[in-house]
Amino acid sequence: MAKFRIVGISFDHMHMGDLLRMVHDHPDAEIAAVFDPDRDKMQAAVTAFDIPEDRVFTDFDTCMAAGPYDMALLCVATAQHAEFTERLAPHDLHVFVEKPFAASADDARRMMAAMNETGKQLIINWPLRWVESHVTAKRLIDEGMIGDLREVHFYDGNRGPLYHLADKVEVTAEEVERQKPNSWWYTRASGGGSLLDYLGYGATLGTWYMDGRAPIEVTCTVDETPGIEVDQHAIAVCRYETGLSKMETRWGTFTDPWTTQPQPTCGFVFVGTDGTISSPDYASHLTVQTRTRPERHELPVTPLPVGERNAIEYVLGCISNGIPVAGPLDPALCLTAQRIVDTARRSALEKQTLRLIQ
């Protein structure tokens, strides 16, 4: 069987390097091309994966003409997701978008519309979907361990988006400060800010845990730092028919959760009618309470099954078997979450509680 030919589009998001590593390590896939208008941004990946020079492009149209490709990995700045999805759609390929979904629900709908008539899939990747603790928690909730799910509480983030490169290679604090004035992450018009970066995680996985249910209204507030035009801390309260859930995002945690869990702990806490589950990011165990065993006790996480160990493995399996991606990768579910994000952003701007926008 011929290998899946995958093209990487833009290195604006540092996760491109992680995704290309998954492609490189997959026995049935190959890095067919990479594109970014800035050649220097691609060099680390070119070196790491020994990408031939005739597969490295700084012009989008030239890159696409060198196809065909089976799937594009899209890692442009958030505000460009819709534009680039529309540019990719005519090229007869699946489009894999690294989180967040879009800069707005309107942009998300543009992306869905662009792909609807192509016969190819639009895929939205949320890396927390591949964290064993959170997948284990989803299974236990679905099995009824804590009864009916009533509340989802999310706190997550990191020291800041400029502190790490692909493969979580660390950047010095001095270099972070040097980059901030010119980084799209800190530019409102490019879709920067912790709310857009991380609230989508809580809203998307939260919608997954809630089996697609949407909140009635959202109240959100964000910090305002002199000299920084985007938020670095956002707290959103979502009112569901079942109660209140809180989703908090933070650039500026004391440590990064993938190395040393900060306080507050990054991850999820779930409250059901018959119990609770705490699922920290990257944890080896969950902490559980139930009516039959109300004292806190630990349950080991379940390893991810073969075929779902990472995003690329899962998505290529779905494509090979002719089935749509599901859960947090499904654009329809992600659109509900994007509406939560949009409502939270507008709530913070208007400083009032708002009904969930359509």
Side-chain angles (χ1 to χ4, degrees):
M1 183 181 73
K3 290 189 174 185
F4 286 94
R5 289 174 49 81
I6 297 177
V7 55
I9 302 295
S10 179
F11 286 68
D12 283 346
H13 200 303
M14 80 290 291
H15 287 182
M16 176 60 86
D18 303 313
L19 294 170
L20 290 176
R21 181 169 299 283
M22 295 175 202
V23 173
H24 180 265
D25 292 345
H26 196 292
D28 298 324
E30 65 174 324
I31 302 170
V34 290
F35 156 77
D36 194 285
D38 183 345
R39 176 64 175 75
D40 291 343
K41 290 166 66 174
M42 297 185 281
Q43 187 55 52
V46 170
T47 301
F49 308 119
D50 196 24
I51 303 173
E53 281 301 317
D54 63 359
R55 296 188 176 194
V56 181
F57 299 90
T58 57
D59 179 78
F60 176 83
D61 292 331
T62 304
C63 176
M64 299 313 296
Y69 308 110
D70 297 300
M71 185 168 74
L73 306 177
L74 185 59
C75 285
V76 292
T78 305
Q80 294 181 289
H81 282 191
E83 172 196 344
F84 269 85
T85 299
E86 289 172 339
R87 293 178 71 181
L88 287 164
H91 291 278
D92 191 35
L93 78 178
H94 303 280
V95 177
F96 177 112
V97 181
E98 185 66 354
K99 68 89 188 171
F101 190 172
S104 68
D106 287 344
D107 277 8
R109 290 185 174 99
R110 281 175 56 191
M111 295 162 69
M112 295 170 74
M115 296 298 294
N116 275 346
E117 303 303 320
T118 67
K120 301 294 183 177
Q121 294 198 53
L122 175 64
I123 301 143
I124 316 302
N125 183 50
W126 300 90
L128 286 186
R129 161 61 178 85
W130 314 106
V131 173
E132 292 177 342
S133 55
H134 303 330
V135 177
T136 302
K138 171 63 172 169
R139 176 177 60 80
L140 296 179
I141 292 167
D142 289 348
E143 290 175 354
M145 174 173 280
I146 61 171
D148 295 330
L149 183 61
R150 291 288 185 253
E151 305 169 24
V152 175
H153 299 286
F154 172 75
Y155 176 90
D156 223 314
N158 52 51
R159 287 181 296 158
L162 301 179
Y163 275 92
H164 52 279
L165 306 174
D167 295 324
K168 297 297 188 284
V169 174
E170 295 202 4
V171 175
T172 65
E174 293 76 18
E175 178 63 13
V176 168
E177 293 305 316
R178 188 190 69 79
Q179 290 185 31
K180 276 186 180 180
N182 299 310
S183 170
W184 76 267
W185 291 102
Y186 288 86
T187 304
R188 185 179 297 114
S190 297
S194 74
L195 190 156
L196 273 182
D197 182 29
Y198 258 93
L199 184 59
Y201 273 123
T204 304
L205 270 73
T207 302
W208 183 44
Y209 290 119
M210 286 282 195
D211 285 331
R213 299 193 302 276
I216 298 166
E217 61 186 25
V218 179
T219 309
C220 183
T221 187
V222 300
D223 71 329
E224 297 178 3
T225 303
I228 301 291
E229 67 177 52
V230 299
D231 66 275
Q232 299 177 95
H233 192 181
I235 301 175
V237 177
C238 299
R239 183 170 70 86
Y240 290 82
E241 290 183 355
T242 56
L244 302 179
S245 293
K246 179 174 70 69
M247 299 176 185
E248 184 171 357
T249 70
R250 184 73 170 103
W251 286 351
T253 57
F254 190 70
T255 52
D256 291 316
W258 51 82
T259 54
T260 303
Q261 265 287 5
Q263 295 188 112
T265 300
C266 289
F268 290 88
V269 175
F270 308 98
V271 179
T273 55
D274 296 314
T276 70
I277 297 174
S278 173
S279 177
D281 291 349
Y282 316 110
S284 61
H285 64 272
L286 306 177
T287 302
V288 179
Q289 296 174 293
T290 63
R291 290 202 183 277
T292 56
R293 191 177 176 186
E295 75 279 7
R296 293 187 183 192
H297 56 281
E298 295 182 355
L299 294 179
V301 304
T302 303
L304 299 179
V306 173
E308 295 187 23
R309 293 171 297 186
N310 64 54
I312 295 299
E313 182 177 87
Y314 169 73
V315 168
L316 295 188
C318 288
I319 293 171
S320 295
N321 291 303
I323 60 177
V325 296
L329 285 78
D330 177 3
L333 184 147
C334 292
L335 179 59
T336 296
Q338 186 69 53
R339 292 164 55 210
I340 296 172
V341 173
D342 283 18
T343 309
R345 183 169 52 177
R346 188 179 301 175
S347 169
L349 180 64
E350 298 181 7
K351 300 186 184 301
Q352 62 176 322
T353 299
L354 296 175
R355 300 283 293 187
L356 184 68
I357 68 167
Q358 293 303 309

